[in-house]
Amino acid sequence: ETKKRERLKRRRLERQRMKNLNSARNAALQEEKRLARAAEFEKELEVAQVNREARRERFQKARQLIVDELEAECHYWMTSTDEVNKVFDADNIDQELWTRPGMYVGAPPSGLNDEDDDFL
């Protein structure tokens, strides 16, 4: 009977040893997977950073193109305060504004005559 108990104890200990080995193997596998995921995430971060920098450069170039274009044509539409005041402070300048219900105030449409009172 002692031999039988010894044999049972030996088998139980052997099963526990196998479970422990499997647990250690699984833990090592999980650690490898975690390290692989971490490395993959680092690569994704690098790619995302490169994409962000490229996008930022494209936006900067686009902004610069717009600024260059505006600077090239600004002499057509930029006026001094004196020029604006000279035009709008003149006695012979009257601005006729019109409006309709539900619309905005603005200059009358071109081609509108005095006979077109029903339009207003």
Side-chain angles (χ1 to χ4, degrees), residues 2 4 19 31 33-35 40 45 48 51-52 78:
T2 14
K4 188 177 180 181
K19 284 182 184 179
E31 183 64 17
K33 287 180 182 178
R34 188 190 67 78
L35 291 175
E40 185 178 321
L45 287 179
N51 289 341
R52 256 192 313 276
M78 290 189 75

Side-chain angles (χ1 to χ4, degrees), residues 85-107:
N85 288 337
K86 185 173 110 180
V87 169
F88 285 109
D89 289 343
D91 292 335
N92 60 351
I93 301 294
D94 281 334
Q95 187 175 16
E96 183 181 329
L97 298 176
W98 64 278
T99 184
R100 290 179 63 189
M103 297 186 74
Y104 55 88
V105 174

Side-chain angles (χ1 to χ4, degrees), residues 44-57:
E44 287 177 16
L45 287 179
E46 290 173 9
V47 168
Q49 182 65 30
V50 168
N51 289 341
R52 256 192 313 276
E53 289 299 323
R55 185 170 186 249
R56 189 174 292 130
E57 286 177 22

Side-chain angles (χ1 to χ4, degrees), residues 21-114:
L21 287 174
N22 280 337
S23 292
R25 199 174 309 124
N26 286 336
L29 247 158
Q30 291 299 321
E31 183 64 17
E32 284 178 27
K33 287 180 182 178
R34 188 190 67 78
L35 291 175
R37 279 194 310 266
E40 185 178 321
F41 181 67
E42 286 296 323
K43 287 179 185 175
E44 287 177 16
L45 287 179
E46 290 173 9
V47 168
Q49 182 65 30
V50 168
N51 289 341
R52 256 192 313 276
E53 289 299 323
R55 185 170 186 249
R56 189 174 292 130
E57 286 177 22
R58 284 193 310 271
F59 278 128
Q60 185 61 37
K61 286 180 185 177
R63 284 186 196 106
Q64 191 59 46
L65 285 173
I66 290 171
V67 167
D68 292 345
E69 186 177 315
L70 290 174
E71 285 177 351
E73 67 181 33
C74 72
H75 62 276
Y76 295 122
W77 48 267
M78 290 189 75
T79 59
S80 67
T81 307
D82 295 333
E83 290 174 311
V84 171
N85 288 337
K86 185 173 110 180
V87 169
F88 285 109
D89 289 343
D91 292 335
N92 60 351
I93 301 294
D94 281 334
Q95 187 175 16
E96 183 181 329
L97 298 176
W98 64 278
T99 184
R100 290 179 63 189
M103 297 186 74
Y104 55 88
V105 174
S110 61
L112 186 65
N113 299 328
D114 290 334

